[in-house]
Amino acid sequence: MKILVINAGSSSLKYQLLDPATHELMAKGLCERIGIGGHIKHTPEGKEAYAADIDMPTHSEAIQAVLSLLVDPAHGVIKTVSEIDAVGHRVVHGGEEFASSVLIDDQVMDTLKACIPLAPLHNPANITGINACKAAMPGVPHVAVFDTAFHQTLPPKAFIFALPYEYYEKDKVRRYGFHGTSHRYVSQRAASLMGRPIEELKLVTCHLGNGASTCAIKYGKSIDTSMGFTPLDGLPMGTRSGAVDSGILQYLMDLKHLDIHQMLDILNKKSGVLGISGISSDFRDLDQAAAAGSERAQLAIDVFTYKVTKRIGSSAAAMGGLDGVIFTAGVGENSPELRAKILEGLEFLGLKLDPAKNNIRGKEAVISTDDSPNTIMVIPTNEELVIAMDTAKIVSQLKK
Ligand code: ADP
């Protein structure tokens, strides 16, 4: 089966064509500058990468460019578009409506539109991407896979904010959590690497990239997670503040004469490790700067790793125990130094890091010592593969 996976942003469209059964990636690429020009980077497996400026006033032209390249004699990997069995779409917010992936029909589209106020930056772009793909490939099933769905198993005590209850009941204000596809994938890989059923494991997954979140996964279900109503909550990130005392907002807005949009812009784009260090949102830059003596780069690293350490502890407390910790995404997969720093002092939770085994980047590995009571692992995330696998599963049920 060949599944096209689409991740549409407001001016971008990422894609992968892959076979979920064999995990074979056939091609991947990115359309950028949609609406303000148009550029495509296309990387077919076994052939040279290709890039070109192509006029893309809307996502429709972008998906047309993708389909043309996929069947192109020089740069393509399939003969005709009809070889694509289904399309899987990443959708950021499914609200409380979707606890798993779904086949997209008119009713699902209406529900996605109803979720727009919950994710005003992301869901409109996802919907535009779905509409463009449905128009370009009308006879093909389309499936939506949600960032929020995996966290729909959170119990009320974990998802209710201590605000007047009507804000939940009437206005849907609650913890939703994000990165669900990634947390689900790495926890399932972890269980299979450990050779134990996920139904008996208590795992903490740490998705540490530009965006960062942790998840407490008890017996295969998300029971708590660090991101909240929006992806701004929880850990400090590249440019996002993570959770801050909300009293700070009014103080700064009064002092600096900021409106709420300017304040949120600061919290989303100028904070996190960039804000603390004043140097960069990229941990590689921070490592270098800290090694060269920058105290603020070091402080940014210290604040970030301290918060992740605390989340591992609080997640273990929420689950009443711990069997394993998993690191994934850019930082989690590639930085032995940050992993070591996060795990410092956590031996009391049965987490003994093996420095030699920890010295790996970007591949699946157990990095705890042989006598560590609990397992520490690195598992590269693969959200596109999960989207393709969910899509294939839903489509094969249709055929029965
Ligand atoms: P996104 O959330 O955008 O998908 P990624 O998961 O790709 O982000 O993570 C990107 C981040 O990973 C970069 O900003 C960088 O800080 C970090 N990163 C990548 N490689 C390394 C490395 N070798 N050492 C430390 N950090 C790294």
Side-chain angles (χ1 to χ4, degrees), residues 14 179 207-212 238 240 281-285 287 328-338 361 381 383:
K14 287 189 206 147
H179 291 145
H207 178 110
L208 311 176
N210 265 323
R240 278 176 252 168
S281 62
D282 192 302
F283 282 89
R284 286 162 291 198
D285 298 339
D287 279 344
T328 193
V331 180
E333 292 165 26
N334 294 304
S335 177
E337 298 81 12
L338 289 171
R361 292 170 205 275
T381 194
E383 288 158 283

Side-chain angles (χ1 to χ4, degrees), residues 272-344:
V273 292
L274 169 69
I276 299 173
S277 67
I279 292 174
S280 175
S281 62
D282 192 302
F283 282 89
R284 286 162 291 198
D285 298 339
L286 296 178
D287 279 344
Q288 271 186 6
S294 164
E295 285 178 13
R296 274 174 54 190
Q298 188 58 54
L299 182 62
I301 293 170
D302 291 348
V303 171
F304 175 75
T305 52
Y306 174 62
K307 294 270 163 82
V308 182
T309 307
K310 289 208 302 183
R311 287 292 317 182
I312 294 173
S314 65
S315 302
M319 294 187 291
L322 184 66
D323 295 292
V325 172
I326 298 111
F327 289 95
T328 193
V331 180
E333 292 165 26
N334 294 304
S335 177
E337 298 81 12
L338 289 171
R339 290 192 298 256
K341 205 161 164 45
I342 288 164
L343 292 162
E344 248 172 43

Side-chain angles (χ1 to χ4, degrees), residues 216-328:
I217 302 173
K218 188 176 183 181
Y219 310 146
K221 292 189 171 135
S222 169
I223 63 144
D224 208 349
T225 188
S226 61
M227 281 181 169
F229 178 67
T230 71
L232 184 55
D233 198 11
L235 299 169
M237 311 179 208
T239 63
R240 278 176 252 168
S241 61
V244 292
D245 174 355
S246 38
I248 295 171
L249 274 62
Q250 189 203 6
Y251 175 76
L252 279 179
M253 287 166 73
D254 286 350
L255 194 69
K256 311 275 180 195
H257 309 294
L258 303 170
D259 65 28
I260 189 65
H261 300 287
Q262 292 167 314
M263 189 69 242
L264 276 172
D265 198 57
I266 293 170
L267 294 173
N268 273 304
K269 298 187 184 149
K270 297 180 181 149
S271 299
V273 292
L274 169 69
I276 299 173
S277 67
I279 292 174
S280 175
S281 62
D282 192 302
F283 282 89
R284 286 162 291 198
D285 298 339
L286 296 178
D287 279 344
Q288 271 186 6
S294 164
E295 285 178 13
R296 274 174 54 190
Q298 188 58 54
L299 182 62
I301 293 170
D302 291 348
V303 171
F304 175 75
T305 52
Y306 174 62
K307 294 270 163 82
V308 182
T309 307
K310 289 208 302 183
R311 287 292 317 182
I312 294 173
S314 65
S315 302
M319 294 187 291
L322 184 66
D323 295 292
V325 172
I326 298 111
F327 289 95
T328 193

Side-chain angles (χ1 to χ4, degrees), residues 16-28:
Q16 286 195 4
L17 182 68
L18 41 85
D19 182 334
T22 60
H23 297 196
E24 182 200 358
L25 174 66
M26 304 165 81
K28 65 177 178 179

Side-chain angles (χ1 to χ4, degrees), residues 14-330:
K14 287 189 206 147
Y15 62 94
Q16 286 195 4
L17 182 68
L18 41 85
D19 182 334
T22 60
H23 297 196
E24 182 200 358
L25 174 66
M26 304 165 81
K28 65 177 178 179
L30 168 67
C31 300
E32 289 173 297
R33 302 179 57 78
I34 299 170
I36 50 164
H39 184 78
I40 188 163
K41 283 185 211 151
H42 173 74
T43 313
E45 275 300 302
K47 292 184 179 178
E48 235 171 75
Y50 172 84
D53 289 330
I54 297 174
D55 202 24
M56 297 175 187
T58 70
H59 286 69
S60 296
E61 290 79 15
I63 188 66
Q64 283 303 346
V66 172
L67 295 177
S68 303
L69 274 175
L70 286 173
V71 300
D72 185 84
H75 310 291
V77 290
I78 49 176
K79 287 203 173 64
T80 69
V81 171
S82 63
E83 285 180 52
I84 300 172
D85 294 287
V87 185
H89 297 267
R90 178 195 180 208
V91 179
V92 169
H93 217 306
E96 290 191 319
E97 314 300 332
F98 299 108
S100 57
S101 305
V102 286
L103 183 72
I104 300 173
D105 57 17
D106 290 346
Q107 201 186 338
V108 168
M109 287 308 283
D110 287 344
T111 314
L112 290 184
K113 282 178 205 151
C115 290
I116 287 178
L118 297 174
L121 297 179
H122 292 104
N123 271 31
N126 298 155
I127 291 170
T128 306
I130 293 170
N131 282 330
C133 290
K134 278 171 73 179
M137 286 174 279
V140 172
H142 293 256
V143 167
V145 180
F146 302 92
D147 272 22
T148 48
F150 183 57
H151 302 299
Q152 279 298 304
T153 46
L154 255 61
K157 66 182 177 186
F159 74 67
I160 289 289
F161 288 113
L163 294 169
Y165 191 69
E166 68 196 62
Y167 294 143
Y168 167 60
E169 256 186 330
K170 295 207 181 86
D171 304 313
K172 303 182 176 175
V173 174
R174 53 159 287 175
R175 179 178 307 284
Y176 288 100
F178 299 87
H179 291 145
T181 315
S182 177
H183 290 297
R184 171 159 63 107
Y185 172 73
V186 299
S187 61
Q188 288 169 355
R189 281 297 304 154
S192 90
L193 284 179
M194 291 165 83
R196 289 175 63 186
I198 197 160
E199 292 75 18
E200 61 181 47
L201 291 172
K202 294 170 181 171
L203 302 171
V204 182
T205 48
C206 305
H207 178 110
L208 311 176
N210 265 323
S213 68
T214 59
C215 186
I217 302 173
K218 188 176 183 181
Y219 310 146
K221 292 189 171 135
S222 169
I223 63 144
D224 208 349
T225 188
S226 61
M227 281 181 169
F229 178 67
T230 71
L232 184 55
D233 198 11
L235 299 169
M237 311 179 208
T239 63
R240 278 176 252 168
S241 61
V244 292
D245 174 355
S246 38
I248 295 171
L249 274 62
Q250 189 203 6
Y251 175 76
L252 279 179
M253 287 166 73
D254 286 350
L255 194 69
K256 311 275 180 195
H257 309 294
L258 303 170
D259 65 28
I260 189 65
H261 300 287
Q262 292 167 314
M263 189 69 242
L264 276 172
D265 198 57
I266 293 170
L267 294 173
N268 273 304
K269 298 187 184 149
K270 297 180 181 149
S271 299
V273 292
L274 169 69
I276 299 173
S277 67
I279 292 174
S280 175
S281 62
D282 192 302
F283 282 89
R284 286 162 291 198
D285 298 339
L286 296 178
D287 279 344
Q288 271 186 6
S294 164
E295 285 178 13
R296 274 174 54 190
Q298 188 58 54
L299 182 62
I301 293 170
D302 291 348
V303 171
F304 175 75
T305 52
Y306 174 62
K307 294 270 163 82
V308 182
T309 307
K310 289 208 302 183
R311 287 292 317 182
I312 294 173
S314 65
S315 302
M319 294 187 291
L322 184 66
D323 295 292
V325 172
I326 298 111
F327 289 95
T328 193

